[in-house]
């Protein structure tokens, strides 16, 4: 029985003012109880009730938060809180039944009900607890978190990182609450393991006090009878033959199999137990032993995506908003997400959606940067219980492929000159793999992110956090020079959101204090990630950011959007090209945690930014990539992740001033399944042409190279296209001869664009509609047709503007019904 729908209330009190539930019950009219949403957070409830002032916020971690509801029933049951943040006590009427000090471990309480009862849940003051907490002396301090004692409490760092996210308090029952009858089938644990090339093993265990002898579990057309264990435990193992595999997005189908429990005697009472997928995953270290390539079902996979951030920071771990976010990331071309140590675990519904979308998940433990007391027996035991609680319900989900011990813990130690493989990290290196093998076999286990090299943060070995291009302001060529093997964080920029979000802030961009609150930075440093973006405006686009900000703020924002999209596209191209040593790259981060120019590819309102589209252009399962090989000219790469061979006609056009074709050629190409083909520009043209302007024989004779790959066997599919700029992607604005037309078709509104000269970084700004693509290049003489998706059901006809970074003119369009 799900208790989330009951009439829950919450009350905020001074710390310790109600020592017991009797005191809460005796408070009478002096207490101010307000309606609470469960699962949820106390701050969101108090905000909805008008008792929380965001301008002068109450420090909720300083207070006790009491929840209550009326619970009715008869007989023995188990009360289950899937997750409570953080220092929790459960009281039934006046009796305290349980205490918990971990946000991440469920609370299970046996109760005997006799009619109506009052259920209380209190979240005690975190501040008071930390003040009295005795911990071993830390070997280092963490700059991003002011409260160092948090290393001794199992809770999220969301709300405790002032330069990363808003000052919020994640307090309360953040996951569901259940009342379980002994007669219910509960505590279901499904463990799916791929065997060989087509076999599989499914282990099923669950709790139920009923006599289920003769009942059967079915999966993938095969059945087996359950066997009784001790204390109401039932289990069964199925050996499956010719079971279809689950593949990551783009590499094959996401095949999932229903698992059911049914009464084989009379065929009644078919109970769904869940869904499973079968896939194998391992790591290929390469011939030098320094690599890190994920091999799924025997096939090497280039992993790309982002570090996942919850759409609602006050309610992390909930599916609300997550479905749209995951669908957007899948459409972007992502096939992997990383749930990183500073944030929060996600629930089974989240992983179920990742299963369906083909999104692999790299799961960190919620450990980040601190010198945790891992050698303390009690802390290590609590952490082990957390791992078991995390993995037990997720062992059925094929999307979970990596479990990692946390973020930047080993890195922090090594940067201070401490041994990276010290006894303090035995939990990561020894205990964590053993627990994973017992609970969820078949996972790739990584001690920490980053790790693997002589130093944990070495880029050329193992798993790295790469910020050479980005915070360290290295040139774009460093993306290849650094030769990273697998990047779990990279390319963090202050990505400017689109106009609707910027204008909704109500303040001038960039230098207003409200704007700066949304720009991420490391604490106690003299720069922020907007400074990083401005550096690349000068280095990559040749623009004076300070001057442009003052003289043409609209163009400054336009160029700022374009430059991060361009950098992300260029870096991902380098890492994904055939011959690259890099086997994965995850951008930091998927979404913003607050309004503004945050790290996210998607803004806080769910709107994709230019950086999102820059990623999307080179991340699709079938991709066309261009790389500058210097004196060897321009290489054209066709990368095919899909399980089918593809036939293309590849054409190359060399343009002067974006209009005049000075050279051209084409060639048919067949790209094998799950493979890649590289062509040279010379081969496509049939003769030498200095496409990269490497030899510099006289003044430049061209400005753009446009490569188009048309699938000759797929009817109606859009061609693949990429543009190379030998003299830089930013050019002076001119009249391009662009046109825009809106058409209403049977499947909705479409925008049709044309141009006489190549338009760079075309930007469509429509407040009521979202275009399928944005921030792209449009070659001359071509038509680009874009479906417009309404942002809400109340949207009228589309109306917007079209601009390009190199266009003097702004086009307006309006649909007519």
């Amino acid at each position: 029985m799900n208790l989330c729908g009951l009439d829950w209330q919450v009350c905020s009190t001074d710390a310790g003012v109600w020592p017991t539930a009797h005191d809460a019950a005796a408070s009478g009219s002096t207490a101010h109880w307000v309606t609470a949403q469960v699962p949820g957070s106390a701050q969101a409830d108090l905000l909805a009730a008008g008792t929380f002032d965001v301008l002068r916020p109450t420090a909720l971690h300083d207070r006790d938060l009491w929840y209550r509801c009326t619970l009715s029933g008869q007989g023995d049951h188990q009360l289950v809180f899937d997750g409570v943040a953080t220092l929790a006590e459960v009281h039934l009427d006046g009796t305290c039944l349980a205490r918990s000090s971990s946000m991440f471990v469920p609370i299970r309480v046996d109760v005997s009900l006799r009619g109506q009862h009052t259920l209380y849940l209190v979240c005690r003051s975190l501040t008071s607890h930390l003040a009295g907490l005795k911990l071993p002396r830390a070997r280092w301090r963490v700059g991003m978190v002011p409260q160092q004692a948090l290393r001794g409490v199992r809770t999220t760092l969301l709300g405790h990182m002032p330069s990363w996210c808003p000052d919020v308090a994640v307090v309360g029952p953040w996951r569901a609450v259940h009342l379980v009858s002994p007669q219910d089938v509960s505590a279901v644990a499904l463990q799916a393991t791929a065997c060989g090339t087509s076999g599989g093993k499914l282990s099923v265990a669950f709790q139920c006090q009923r006599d289920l002898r003769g009942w059967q579990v079915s999966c993938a057309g095969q059945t087996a009878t359950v066997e009784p264990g001790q204390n109401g435990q039932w289990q069964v193992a199925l050996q499956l033959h010719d079971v279809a595999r689950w593949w990551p997005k783009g590499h094959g189908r996401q095949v999932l199999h229903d698992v059911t429990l049914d009464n084989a005697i009379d065929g009644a009472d078919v109970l769904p137990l869940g869904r499973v997928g079968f896939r194998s995953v391992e790591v290929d270290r390469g011939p030098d032993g320094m690599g890190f390539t994920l091999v799924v079902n025997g096939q090497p996979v280039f992993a790309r995506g982002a570090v996942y951030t919850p759409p609602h920071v006050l309610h992390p771990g909930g599916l609300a908003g997550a479905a749209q976010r995951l669908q957007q990331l899948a459409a972007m071309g992502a096939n992997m997400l990383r749930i990183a140590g500073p944030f929060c675990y996600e629930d089974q519904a989240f992983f179920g959606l990742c299963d369906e979308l083909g999104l692999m998940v790299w799961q960190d433990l919620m450990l980040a940067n601190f010198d945790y007391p891992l050698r303390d027996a009690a802390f290590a035991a609590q952490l082990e219980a957390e791992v078991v609680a995390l993995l037990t319900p997720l062992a059925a989900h094929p999307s979970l492929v990596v479990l990692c011990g946390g973020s930047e813990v080993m890195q922090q130690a090594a940067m201070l000159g401490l041994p990276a493989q010290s006894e303090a990290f035995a939990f990561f290196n020894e205990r964590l793999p053993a627990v994973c093998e017992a609970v969820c076999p078949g996972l790739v286990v990584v001690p920490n992110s980053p790790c693997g090299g002589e130093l944990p943060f070495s880029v050329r070995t193992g798993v790295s956090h790469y910020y050479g291009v980005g915070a360290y302001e290295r040139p774009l060529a460093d993306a290849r020079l650094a030769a990273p093997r697998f990047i779990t964080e990279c390319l963090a920029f202050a990505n400017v959101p689109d106009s609707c979000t910027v204008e909704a802030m109500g303040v001038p961009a960039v230098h207003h204090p409200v704007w700066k609150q949304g720009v991420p930075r490391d604490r106690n440093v003299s720069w922020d990630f907007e400074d990083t973006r401005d550096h690349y405006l000068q280095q990559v686009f040749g623009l004076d950011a300070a001057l442009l900000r003052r003289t043409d703020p609209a163009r400054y924002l336009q160029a700022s959007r374009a430059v991060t999209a361009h950098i992300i596209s260029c870096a991902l191209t380098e890492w994904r090209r055939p011959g690259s040593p890099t086997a994965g790259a995850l951008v930091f981060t998927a979404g913003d945690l607050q309004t503004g120019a945050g790290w996210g590819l998607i803004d806080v309102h769910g709107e994709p930014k230019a950086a999102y589209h820059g990623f999307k252009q080179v991340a699709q399962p079938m991709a066309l990539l261009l790389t500058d090989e210097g004196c060897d000219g321009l290489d054209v790469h066709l990368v095919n992740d899909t399980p089918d061979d593809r036939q293309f006609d590849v054409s190359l056009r060399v343009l002067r001033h974006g209009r005049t074709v000075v050279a051209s050629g084409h060639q048919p190409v067949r790209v094998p399944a799950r493979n890649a083909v590289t062509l040279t520009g010379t081969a496509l043209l049939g003769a030498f042409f200095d496409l990269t302007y490497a030899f510099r024989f006289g003044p430049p004779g061209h400005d753009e190279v446009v490569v188009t790959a048309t699938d000759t066997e797929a009817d109606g599919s859009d061609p693949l296209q990429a543009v190379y700029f030998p003299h830089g992607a930013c050019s002076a604005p001119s009249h391009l001869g662009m046109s825009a037309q809106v058409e209403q078709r049977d499947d909705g509104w479409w925008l049709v664009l044309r141009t006489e000269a190549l338009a760079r970084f075309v930007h469509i700004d429509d407040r009521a509609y979202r275009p399928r693509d944005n921030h792209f290049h449009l070659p001359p003489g071509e038509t680009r047709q874009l479906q417009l998706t309404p942002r809400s059901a109340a949207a009228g006809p589309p109306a917007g503007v079209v601009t390009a970074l190199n266009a003097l003119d702004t086009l307006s369009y309006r649909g007519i019904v």
Side-chain angles (χ1 to χ4, degrees):
M1 176 183 176
N2 192 319
L3 301 184
C4 297
L6 299 182
D7 294 330
W8 288 89
Q9 294 179 309
V10 64
C11 180
S12 172
T13 74
D14 292 335
V17 72
W18 293 345
T20 70
H22 286 297
D23 301 294
S27 62
S29 60
T30 61
H32 184 55
W33 294 87
V34 301
T35 299
Q37 296 294 321
V38 175
S41 73
Q43 183 170 325
D45 297 328
L46 297 173
L47 189 63
T51 60
F52 187 88
D53 188 346
V54 292
L55 299 179
R56 293 180 294 275
T58 303
L60 293 183
H61 286 304
D62 295 350
R63 303 176 65 77
D64 289 348
L65 280 303
W66 284 81
Y67 288 79
R68 71 180 182 186
C69 72
T70 300
L71 182 62
S72 301
Q74 295 289 337
D76 295 336
H77 291 74
Q78 188 175 65
L79 186 61
V80 181
F81 292 82
D82 287 342
V84 180
T86 292
L87 303 165
E89 298 172 7
V90 178
H91 300 252
L92 190 64
D93 297 327
T95 304
C96 181
L97 301 179
R99 289 183 171 86
S100 172
S101 58
S102 173
M103 175 179 174
F104 305 124
V105 177
I107 304 171
R108 301 181 185 277
V109 184
D110 292 329
V111 296
S112 184
L113 301 181
R114 301 291 183 268
Q116 277 197 349
H117 304 264
T118 302
L119 174 63
Y120 290 95
L121 170 70
V122 57
C123 300
R124 295 295 186 184
S125 165
L126 182 61
T127 304
S128 298
H129 177 78
L130 294 177
L133 190 61
K134 302 299 182 184
L135 295 170
R137 183 176 180 178
R139 294 173 293 169
W140 65 83
R141 293 179 62 84
V142 174
M144 70 180 187
V145 182
Q147 177 51 269
Q148 300 296 298
L150 282 169
R151 68 192 180 95
V153 179
R154 298 307 302 133
T155 193
T156 180
L157 293 183
L158 287 169
H160 298 287
M161 303 175 289
S163 58
W164 281 31
C165 68
D167 183 13
V168 298
V170 181
V171 183
W174 66 290
R175 284 198 170 165
V177 184
H178 311 272
L179 187 65
V180 179
S181 164
Q183 304 302 308
D184 295 338
V185 173
S186 64
V188 177
L190 306 177
Q191 199 177 88
T193 306
C195 304
T197 58
S198 60
K201 178 182 177 181
L202 175 64
S203 298
V204 181
F206 58 88
Q207 194 79 23
C208 184
Q209 295 297 333
R210 282 189 284 164
D211 184 357
L212 299 180
R213 283 175 292 186
W215 286 55
Q216 292 183 334
V217 167
S218 301
C219 179
Q222 298 181 51
T223 62
T225 303
V226 298
E227 298 290 339
Q230 295 182 343
N231 302 318
Q233 186 82 4
W234 298 85
Q235 63 270 324
V236 66
L238 285 80
Q239 294 293 337
L240 306 174
H241 306 284
D242 297 323
V243 62
R245 292 292 189 256
W246 178 94
W247 287 91
K249 176 180 168 58
H251 286 263
R253 296 168 55 221
Q254 290 74 56
V255 180
L256 299 170
H257 307 272
D258 291 324
V259 182
T260 59
L261 173 67
D262 62 88
N263 188 341
I265 298 174
D266 57 17
D269 299 326
V270 178
L271 303 176
L273 297 181
R275 290 198 299 177
V276 298
F278 294 87
R279 57 98 189 98
S280 64
V281 59
E282 54 191 343
V283 174
D284 181 1
R285 301 285 179 180
D288 60 3
M290 298 166 63
F292 190 97
T293 300
L294 290 173
V295 179
V296 181
N297 301 329
Q299 178 67 37
V301 172
F302 179 83
R304 67 267 188 187
V307 174
Y308 184 79
T309 42
H312 302 295
V313 68
L314 273 177
H315 185 197
L319 199 58
Q324 177 184 335
R325 173 71 51 87
L326 293 176
Q327 289 161 357
Q328 287 175 317
L329 293 172
M332 184 183 74
N335 62 10
M336 174 173 265
L337 307 174
R338 174 177 168 228
I339 303 174
F343 302 122
C344 199
Y345 296 121
E346 299 295 332
D347 62 10
Q348 272 195 279
F350 177 94
F351 280 86
L353 194 50
C354 289
D355 293 343
E356 295 174 9
L357 295 172
L359 294 173
M360 299 180 291
V361 178
W362 175 299
Q363 175 69 69
D364 281 5
L365 299 187
M366 294 302 111
L367 301 169
N369 299 79
F370 281 121
D371 183 16
Y372 292 95
L374 296 170
R375 286 176 288 188
D376 178 81
F379 185 88
Q382 186 180 48
L383 194 56
E384 185 172 322
E386 179 180 315
V387 176
V388 172
L390 169 70
L391 293 182
T392 298
L394 299 184
H397 293 279
S399 56
L400 178 61
V401 296
V402 177
L403 187 77
C404 175
S407 177
E408 297 190 350
V409 177
M410 290 180 168
Q411 171 178 293
Q412 290 278 3
M415 283 188 164
L416 292 171
L418 301 173
Q421 299 297 329
S422 69
E423 180 188 349
F425 299 138
F427 180 89
F428 298 140
N429 294 315
E430 300 168 14
R431 191 61 195 143
L432 183 60
V435 175
C436 289
E437 182 61 28
V439 180
C440 190
L443 284 182
V444 171
V445 182
V446 177
N448 219 251
S449 180
C451 72
E454 184 176 348
L455 294 170
F457 46 88
S458 298
V459 174
R460 295 187 180 185
T461 306
V463 174
S464 65
H465 292 183
Y466 172 76
Y467 290 107
V469 175
Y472 306 151
E473 298 186 351
R474 300 280 293 167
L476 283 185
D478 192 68
R480 179 182 290 201
L481 179 66
R485 298 306 182 94
F486 194 101
I487 313 166
T488 50
E489 288 184 17
C490 62
L491 303 174
F493 296 98
N495 293 311
V496 177
D498 266 4
S499 304
C500 53
T501 299
V502 171
E503 292 178 10
M505 295 182 71
V507 299
V510 185
H511 281 306
H512 194 281
V514 173
W515 175 275
K516 279 298 185 185
Q517 288 175 6
V519 176
R521 63 184 301 144
D522 291 331
R523 290 183 71 239
N524 305 319
V525 298
S526 61
W527 58 274
D528 62 25
F529 281 82
E530 205 145 50
D531 297 320
T532 301
R533 189 188 67 229
D534 285 351
H535 168 83
Y536 285 102
L537 272 179
Q538 172 66 53
Q539 186 184 88
V540 178
F541 277 6
L543 299 175
D544 185 329
L547 178 63
L548 192 61
R549 241 185 352 250
R550 292 195 299 269
T551 59
D552 193 345
R555 180 164 171 77
Y556 168 78
L557 292 178
Q558 184 183 28
S560 295
R561 295 184 185 102
V563 75
T564 58
H566 180 66
I567 291 169
I568 288 172
S569 180
C570 289
L572 196 61
T573 291
E574 281 292 349
W575 295 329
R576 197 183 175 196
R577 65 180 170 84
S580 167
T582 308
L586 306 178
V587 174
F588 196 84
T589 60
D592 288 343
L593 295 172
Q594 56 190 344
T595 301
W599 286 315
L601 301 172
I602 301 168
D603 75 22
V604 74
H605 303 296
E607 295 298 328
K609 302 183 190 178
Y612 170 98
H613 292 283
F615 188 108
K616 180 180 179 181
Q617 288 157 15
V618 295
Q620 297 305 307
M622 186 70 233
L624 172 64
L625 311 175
L626 306 181
T627 57
D628 183 338
E629 301 300 327
C631 293
D632 281 337
L634 188 70
D635 274 0
V636 177
H637 312 282
L638 285 161
V639 182
N640 180 14
D641 286 350
T642 75
D644 303 309
D645 292 353
R646 305 285 288 274
Q647 182 69 40
F648 288 94
D649 183 78
V650 181
S651 67
L652 184 150
R653 289 182 292 160
V654 184
L655 302 181
R656 181 185 297 130
H657 304 315
R659 297 174 183 266
T660 305
V661 178
V662 297
S664 65
H666 73 95
Q667 181 176 321
V669 178
R670 190 156 192 87
V671 187
R674 299 177 182 142
N675 213 321
V677 171
T678 297
L679 309 170
T680 65
T682 299
L684 285 169
L685 290 175
F688 169 74
F689 195 104
D690 190 8
L691 294 174
T692 59
Y693 194 54
F695 297 93
R696 300 179 184 273
F697 296 149
H702 68 294
D703 301 283
E704 302 97 356
V705 180
V706 179
V707 181
T708 304
T710 303
D711 192 328
T712 58
E713 296 177 347
D715 295 334
S717 64
D718 291 334
L720 308 177
Q721 196 165 73
V723 182
Y724 169 73
F725 302 101
H727 316 299
C730 184
S731 65
S734 62
H735 296 289
L736 304 180
M738 291 180 65
S739 66
Q741 181 179 348
V742 182
E743 298 178 0
Q744 189 174 23
R745 303 176 184 174
D746 292 341
D747 55 352
W749 291 97
W750 287 71
L751 179 64
V752 181
L753 301 178
R754 299 177 181 86
T755 183
E756 296 173 4
L758 190 142
R760 306 185 183 196
F761 302 101
V762 176
H763 179 206
I764 301 159
D765 184 7
D766 192 316
R767 307 306 166 87
Y769 285 79
R770 185 182 296 119
R772 183 183 61 186
D773 292 311
N774 216 338
H775 304 279
F776 53 84
H777 308 307
L778 181 61
E782 296 186 7
T783 299
R784 188 70 177 265
Q785 302 187 57
L786 301 163
Q787 188 166 23
L788 302 175
T789 302
R791 300 178 193 270
S792 72
V801 297
V802 181
T803 59
L805 188 61
N806 63 327
L808 283 173
D809 303 322
T810 297
L811 299 177
S812 298
Y813 64 85
R814 181 178 296 274
I816 300 175
V817 179

